[in-house]
Amino acid sequence: MNDTEMIECHEPALQMQRLISIMKRLRAPQGCPWDAEQTHKSLITNMIEEAYEAVDTIQRDDWQQMREELGDVLLQVVFHAEIAQENGRFDFNDVAAEVSEKLIRRHPHIFASSRADTTDAVLTQWDKIKRQEKGAEATPYLHGTGKGLPALLRAWKLQKKAAKAGFDWPDAQGALDKVKEETAECEEILPLPEEDPRLTEELGDLLFSVVNLCRKKGIDPEVAMAGANKKFERRFNEMERLLARDGLTLDQADLDAMEARWQQAKSAE
């Protein structure tokens, strides 16, 4: 089956190859001008946005939309693989083979004779094999951890890895006490002018300690933050609606008027 025939193919088992063929056509001469001019770097934002949009559908249990968003994530992988193939670096099959071999190597308790009966044992084994593969035994333990992640998620990853080495609070109370300590330090430096670098440093420490508390309670800080964002948006929208009901716009309402409607919105939930 040639590429033209594959593009028209609807056999379920061949849809991955169909997607690859469609991407080749889009990038080929006389294809789509936009697709043809994309590079690995120009697609960075797309990769990040599609991943976050997929996460949003998971958090909302929106299975229909999740299927579409996961397709968009897959498209980014196919897009990058096609660009790489055009430059003689690798193709999609190389990408799939790489991750397949990695999964087999890092699951010796399934595909070899290793023993790992608990989740903690599996994760410890995974990390050990990963460090051996990358020749990282002589490098700092946290080297490369969470590189490229947003700061909030990277803090979580750093703390999780440090905890594997035994550097961790014994319980959530220790993490909460650290949040209180950092809050007190922020109160001390609050009078400083905004340009003082100590403000950024101390507020960063406070955020880092809150992430640690989330981790100790088994809560993904990104999920917690996303929930807080949605709650704020929902209550703000209701506050705005209540103001409008009383003949006020956001520009016309003072802080007291906003606060009164905010409390109404909060109580109604």
Side-chain angles (χ1 to χ4, degrees):
M1 191 180 296
N2 60 37
D3 282 344
T4 300
E5 293 171 330
M6 183 59 72
I7 289 171
E8 300 300 324
C9 176
H10 293 279
E11 256 187 73
L14 296 177
Q15 292 309 296
M16 190 68 247
Q17 186 58 47
R18 182 189 184 199
L19 177 58
I20 293 171
S21 296
I22 291 171
M23 178 52 64
K24 287 183 181 297
R25 178 68 185 89
L26 292 173
R27 293 272 300 177
Q30 311 307 314
C32 173
W34 184 87
D35 289 279
E37 69 183 18
Q38 298 311 306
T39 66
H40 290 302
K41 290 184 178 179
S42 73
L43 291 169
I44 289 174
T45 300
N46 300 64
M47 176 76 83
I48 295 170
E49 289 179 353
E50 299 299 356
Y52 273 105
E53 287 174 7
V55 168
D56 177 64
T57 64
I58 294 169
Q59 292 171 339
R60 293 187 286 104
D61 294 336
D62 189 339
W63 315 125
Q64 181 66 32
Q65 190 68 24
M66 185 193 301
R67 183 175 68 182
E68 179 181 343
E69 296 300 343
L70 289 176
D72 290 342
V73 173
L74 178 59
L75 172 60
Q76 294 304 306
V77 177
V78 171
F79 212 146
H80 281 281
E82 174 60 24
I83 294 172
Q85 183 176 12
E86 292 167 4
N87 289 278
R89 299 187 184 109
F90 56 82
D91 62 15
F92 181 84
N93 287 329
D94 295 323
V95 174
E98 181 96 15
V99 72
S100 294
E101 294 297 332
K102 180 189 294 184
L103 286 172
I104 292 172
R105 286 195 312 271
R106 296 188 185 179
H107 289 82
H109 55 295
I110 302 299
F111 302 107
S113 58
S114 175
R115 181 90 180 258
D117 299 326
T118 67
T119 297
D120 287 343
V122 169
L123 293 176
T124 298
Q125 176 181 254
W126 176 284
D127 191 59
K128 181 180 179 181
I129 295 171
K130 181 178 179 180
R131 285 175 62 81
Q132 290 172 345
E133 289 173 354
K134 297 182 178 300
E137 292 90 341
T139 61
Y141 180 70
L142 293 179
H143 177 73
T145 301
K147 58 184 178 182
L149 287 176
L152 191 71
L153 285 177
R154 184 160 191 255
W156 189 44
K157 293 279 284 187
L158 287 167
Q159 292 167 6
K160 283 179 65 178
K161 189 166 184 181
K164 290 179 183 178
F167 189 74
D168 196 11
W169 299 108
D171 52 36
Q173 185 60 50
L176 179 59
D177 290 342
K178 186 62 176 176
V179 171
K180 294 176 180 178
E181 175 188 325
E182 296 297 346
T183 301
E185 291 181 8
C186 285
E187 288 179 339
E188 291 178 7
I189 53 93
L190 204 57
L192 295 175
E194 292 182 6
E195 62 271 16
D196 193 306
R198 285 174 290 177
L199 277 170
T200 300
E201 180 180 351
E202 293 299 340
L203 288 170
D205 289 346
L206 176 58
L207 287 171
F208 193 85
S209 64
V210 171
V211 170
N212 216 357
L213 178 58
C214 286
R215 182 184 60 82
K216 292 300 294 182
K217 296 302 294 182
I219 297 170
D220 184 330
E222 190 71 17
V223 172
M225 194 71 254
N229 288 342
K230 289 180 180 179
K231 180 168 64 176
F232 178 84
E233 182 179 15
R234 183 176 68 247
R235 290 178 179 175
F236 191 95
N237 290 343
E238 178 62 9
M239 176 192 75
E240 186 176 10
R241 188 191 70 80
L242 291 171
L243 286 169
R245 181 199 63 183
D246 297 333
L248 293 170
T249 66
L250 290 172
D251 289 337
Q252 294 168 336
D254 60 18
L255 183 57
D256 287 339
M258 289 185 182
E259 178 63 22
R261 274 73 172 188
W262 177 274
Q263 293 301 326
Q264 289 180 43
K266 184 177 178 180
S267 299
E269 292 185 350

